[in-house]
Amino acid sequence: MCKNYPASLSRRGSRYIVLSEAKPQERGAGQAIVNMLSSAGQLIGGALIGGVIASFSGILGYGVSLILAAIVGFIAFLFTFKLKGRDEQFETMKSNQ
């Protein structure tokens, strides 16, 4: 996989969260789930964006698809407020060692 691929950047954060939350014997399964879900998200997202572009005529489809992607990104950003703080995350990592 190319290291400059944008989707690989989005996987790194989720992989870090899952691996630091999982117990050592569960980390392989956690990493596999993150990999499968991110791949499925790429497939579904690509098909959805392509479908939105195709369903509108001309440049309007691209505008609508960008707005849709921005909305999904904003919702993902809102979910980040539910993540643990740094100190709490370090405590969880220490307890899972």
Side-chain angles (χ1 to χ4, degrees), residues 48-67:
L48 181 66
I49 294 294
V52 168
I53 291 171
S55 65
F56 291 95
S57 63
I59 194 96
L60 180 64
Y62 289 98
V64 172
S65 68
L66 287 174
I67 290 170

Side-chain angles (χ1 to χ4, degrees), residues 23-88:
K23 293 180 172 55
Q25 63 269 20
E26 299 170 347
R27 288 186 182 152
Q31 190 167 3
I33 289 171
V34 168
N35 192 24
M36 288 189 305
L37 290 177
S38 63
S39 296
Q42 286 178 356
L43 289 170
I44 293 169
L48 181 66
I49 294 294
V52 168
I53 291 171
S55 65
F56 291 95
S57 63
I59 194 96
L60 180 64
Y62 289 98
V64 172
S65 68
L66 287 174
I67 290 170
L68 179 67
I71 290 170
V72 170
F74 183 72
I75 291 170
F77 170 72
L78 291 177
F79 279 127
T80 63
F81 290 113
K82 298 297 282 182
L83 293 174
K84 292 180 180 179
R86 187 176 200 157
D87 295 334
E88 189 178 0

Side-chain angles (χ1 to χ4, degrees), residues 2 8 18 29-30 36 38 40 85:
C2 179
S8 69
V18 168
M36 288 189 305
S38 63

